Amino acid sequence: QVQLVESGGGLVQAGGSLRVSCAASGRTFSRYAMGWFRQAPGKDREFVAAISWTGASTYYADSVKGRFTLSRDNVKNTVSLQMNSLKPEDTAVYYCAATIVHGPEGPYEYWGQGTQVTVSS
């Protein structure tokens, strides 16, 4: 069983930056592909970014490409999403996810509880 705990959400003005992180339990974290998803009010959950188990490969939704950067630390069992040039449309609950069965394309077996990111205009 893997437990994921997100942190770092909050309120920021448009154009600002936030860093959300996800801490994972388990000794096999380095074998998990990790992803971030988000869900805005009234909308379906959508893919944001993913990273391979080695960290060598990253994938981003077109809407965040060039603004968000995903990284992982396999010693600290954490994955972090640096979000720059934030826009009001980035407002959502951000979820961390992990898969040991599949690659970064998912699907994902484990999910965190989410952290709220609010971008004011």
Side-chain angles (χ1 to χ4, degrees):
Q1 188 72 15
V2 177
Q3 290 188 325
L4 304 173
V5 179
E6 300 97 336
S7 62
L11 173 64
V12 65
Q13 288 187 333
S17 299
L18 273 178
R19 186 179 183 90
V20 290
S21 296
C22 175
S25 64
R27 294 177 294 175
T28 57
F29 175 77
S30 61
R31 294 170 56 191
Y32 301 145
M34 301 294 295
W36 282 93
F37 294 75
R38 66 187 182 187
Q39 187 167 21
K43 295 187 177 181
D44 292 334
R45 186 166 57 191
E46 64 175 1
F47 168 78
V48 175
I51 189 166
S52 62
W53 62 275
T54 64
S57 299
T58 52
Y59 309 86
Y60 298 95
D62 288 343
S63 59
V64 306
K65 202 171 293 183
R67 300 188 297 122
F68 290 12
T69 303
L70 182 57
S71 60
R72 68 186 296 159
D73 185 330
N74 286 346
V75 174
K76 296 181 178 179
N77 283 13
T78 59
V79 62
S80 296
L81 184 68
Q82 178 66 41
M83 305 183 291
N84 298 328
S85 301
L86 283 161
K87 305 175 181 179
E89 51 263 44
D90 294 318
T91 295
V93 177
Y94 282 70
Y95 296 92
C96 174
T99 176
I100 195 171
V101 177
H102 306 284
E105 73 280 3
Y108 289 79
E109 302 92 76
Y110 305 103
W111 293 84
Q113 293 300 305
T115 186
Q116 177 70 47
V117 172
T118 303
V119 185
S120 63
S121 57

